[in-house]
Amino acid sequence: MLTINSKSINSFLKKSPRNRLIILSQEKPDELAFVDMGIELSTAIEKQINHKQISMVASDKLESIMQNSESTHPEIGKYTAISNLGILFEKSLKFDFIHFLDAHSKNQTLLIYWEGEVDKNKLYFLSKNKGIQFDITNISHITL
């Protein structure tokens, strides 16, 4: 049983939304297996950091990490849970974060532990005033 808002999550998932994105901004539940994206991706690309095509190398490594991080939960079903997302916003890696969220939340539930502010359909990495803004209006999601 999920310790955080399981009723809200179940209600959201029963509606069969186009995307199954769950944004956790308050706490990271212990019963879910979260992948620390900062550690995983930086470790995967550290020896190739000066590669001319670092964005392509990082993109391939990210996809591999996502494929290998799938878990199953009795209430959620198949899911991937990720945290420490700051590395995805490094300019040299050229990630399209909105596309990433959209693509990885269509076929299974994607949980992200968001270390920033959330204001309706906008995510602010770090803070509204000094952070990076992402508009997730077109991605079905729930914020807890």
Side-chain angles (χ1 to χ4, degrees):
M1 174 111 172
L2 283 173
T3 57
I4 58 157
N5 294 322
S6 61
K7 288 182 183 178
S8 297
I9 291 173
N10 289 334
S11 175
F12 171 69
L13 296 177
K14 283 182 182 175
K15 293 178 184 175
S16 297
R18 184 174 87 77
N19 300 92
R20 299 167 58 97
L21 175 63
I22 300 172
I23 302 162
L24 304 170
S25 63
Q26 301 299 316
E27 62 180 294
K28 191 165 48 168
D30 292 334
E31 69 268 25
L32 298 176
F34 278 82
V35 174
D36 185 317
M37 195 55 70
I39 291 174
E40 293 295 322
L41 188 56
S42 63
T43 301
I45 65 172
E46 72 181 335
K47 292 186 172 130
Q48 300 171 356
I49 200 73
N50 293 320
H51 193 283
K52 289 181 183 178
Q53 305 266 326
I54 187 62
S55 62
M56 290 177 64
V57 170
S59 182
D60 289 346
K61 297 292 184 184
L62 177 61
E63 289 307 311
S64 177
I65 291 166
M66 292 300 290
Q67 287 176 1
N68 294 326
S69 300
E70 184 179 290
S71 297
T72 303
H73 187 276
E75 291 180 50
I76 298 173
K78 289 183 181 179
Y79 77 92
T80 302
I82 57 176
S83 63
N84 193 13
L85 306 177
I87 192 168
L88 300 180
F89 314 130
E90 291 294 326
K91 291 187 191 280
S92 62
L93 299 184
K94 300 177 186 170
F95 282 125
D96 181 342
F97 186 61
I98 298 300
H99 174 74
F100 170 82
L101 293 178
D102 184 43
H104 288 281
S105 64
K106 282 185 180 172
N107 298 322
Q108 69 179 27
T109 303
L110 175 63
L111 295 103
I112 63 170
Y113 179 65
W114 189 252
E115 298 173 81
E117 296 180 41
V118 181
D119 184 17
K120 297 181 184 173
N121 292 322
K122 297 218 183 335
L123 299 177
Y124 299 91
F125 183 66
L126 300 180
S127 71
K128 273 186 181 182
N129 297 333
K130 296 181 181 179
I132 304 168
Q133 175 184 311
F134 300 98
D135 186 340
I136 57 170
T137 302
N138 296 323
I139 299 175
S140 309
H141 66 280
I142 185 172
T143 303
L144 305 174

